[in-house]
Amino acid sequence: MTPSIAIIGGTSLIKSPFFTSLQPKTVATDHGSVILYEGDFEGHKLAFLQRHHADADKGAAVYNPPHLINHCANLAALKNEGFTHVIAICSVGSLSPSIPISTLVIPDDFYIHSSAAPPSFFPDARGHIVPCLSPTLAPLLATTIAASFPALPLRAADATYVNTVGPRFETPAEVRVLKGCGEVVGMTAGVEAVLGREIGLEYAMVCMVDNFANGLVKGGKLLTEEEFKGNVARNQETVEGVVMCLLRELRGKI
């Protein structure tokens, strides 16, 4: 099978001009129908999956919060369409003052909080896997970004993604506990990583720090939704540039 890349992103990346040429396609799976955006990127097959708006049965206009995303259907659709490598773009909170807002983080491990325990594709021993992020794709993402964006703050070693269930942000007390589990916190990618591993997808994350975790900053300042949304908007151009760079630079390397 020829290697091909799919991008999983959140609610804003689909608006990027880089994806305007992709066409929506409904892909049926045993776990539900999924909306993928597929097409050609400079001569190479590409798909974009908007994780919060991918449920074809509900329609693309319906936002599915993290705890209601049909992850099994999403990952199965990429597999069914022949994609081999998945780059997950994630908005995350920093669990460390040493990892400031607008830092890119390439996790090499993940921790799934028990309440966010992922489903499995399999009702039998096939689900008894050793989970991990792609040992080839994740380092390649890190080296490519470091070489192409030398001025960009980057954490690409000893970085663990903590997956909570959502849809709410964490309390300051929860953040104090989670600080011992990893460097950044999000609500989706750990679950995707497990399921991708089950069906043989090479899965890795590119995380943009859009906020300090709730109550982390000195003085216990609480996170606001307005602050979070503002940081997402300010970091969007950087995220788009990184995605474009990766799609170009990884050709022939995977």
Side-chain angles (χ1 to χ4, degrees):
M1 180 181 294
T2 302
S4 52
I5 296 174
I7 304 292
I8 298 179
T11 55
S12 55
L13 198 56
I14 189 61
K15 301 174 185 177
S16 166
F18 305 130
F19 293 117
T20 54
S21 64
L22 303 183
Q23 298 300 312
K25 177 180 182 180
T26 299
V27 179
T29 80
D30 292 338
H31 309 278
S33 295
V34 174
I35 301 169
L36 292 183
Y37 295 85
E38 295 191 34
D40 177 275
F41 178 80
E42 298 182 357
H44 292 264
K45 180 180 178 182
L46 174 67
F48 177 76
L49 188 151
Q50 192 179 20
R51 59 168 69 88
H52 293 288
H53 293 269
D55 191 325
D57 297 321
K58 296 179 181 178
V62 176
Y63 172 84
N64 297 281
H67 67 303
L68 296 180
I69 293 174
N70 188 343
H71 292 290
C72 283
N74 287 352
L75 275 296
L78 296 178
K79 181 74 172 182
N80 289 355
E81 288 295 285
F83 291 94
T84 58
H85 292 67
V86 177
I87 302 173
I89 309 301
C90 309
S91 172
V92 297
S94 171
L95 290 167
S96 171
S98 66
I99 304 177
I101 293 169
S102 301
T103 300
L104 272 185
V105 179
I106 313 299
D108 53 13
D109 201 357
F110 59 93
Y111 168 81
I112 300 180
H113 193 62
S114 59
S115 60
S120 173
F121 282 108
F122 307 117
D124 49 41
R126 288 174 294 173
H128 191 60
I129 63 166
V130 177
C132 68
L133 296 168
S134 172
T136 54
L137 181 57
L140 185 57
L141 297 181
T143 56
T144 301
I145 293 171
S148 301
F149 300 89
L152 186 65
L154 177 66
R155 175 71 175 263
D158 299 321
T160 296
Y161 175 102
V162 177
N163 196 144
T164 61
V165 68
R168 61 172 178 82
F169 289 99
E170 303 73 35
T171 68
E174 290 168 337
V175 168
R176 289 194 294 272
V177 173
L178 295 176
K179 283 171 60 179
C181 301
E183 283 64 49
V184 294
V185 58
M187 304 177 190
T188 56
V191 177
E192 292 173 350
V194 171
L195 293 172
R197 179 74 169 173
E198 282 191 344
I199 57 176
L201 295 173
E202 296 290 334
Y203 180 100
M205 310 173 194
V206 175
C207 301
M208 172 58 81
V209 175
D210 286 322
N211 60 279
F212 282 114
N214 191 20
L216 179 71
V217 297
K218 188 176 181 180
K221 179 177 176 285
L222 298 181
L223 176 68
T224 67
E225 189 172 354
E226 292 74 18
E227 175 189 358
F228 167 71
K229 289 181 177 179
N231 289 335
V232 171
R234 281 186 287 273
N235 290 328
Q236 186 64 26
E237 184 177 350
T238 298
V239 172
E240 291 178 356
V242 167
V243 171
M244 174 65 73
C245 170
L246 291 174
L247 291 175
R248 286 177 170 152
E249 295 296 323
L250 295 184
R251 288 181 296 190
K253 297 180 181 179
I254 61 171

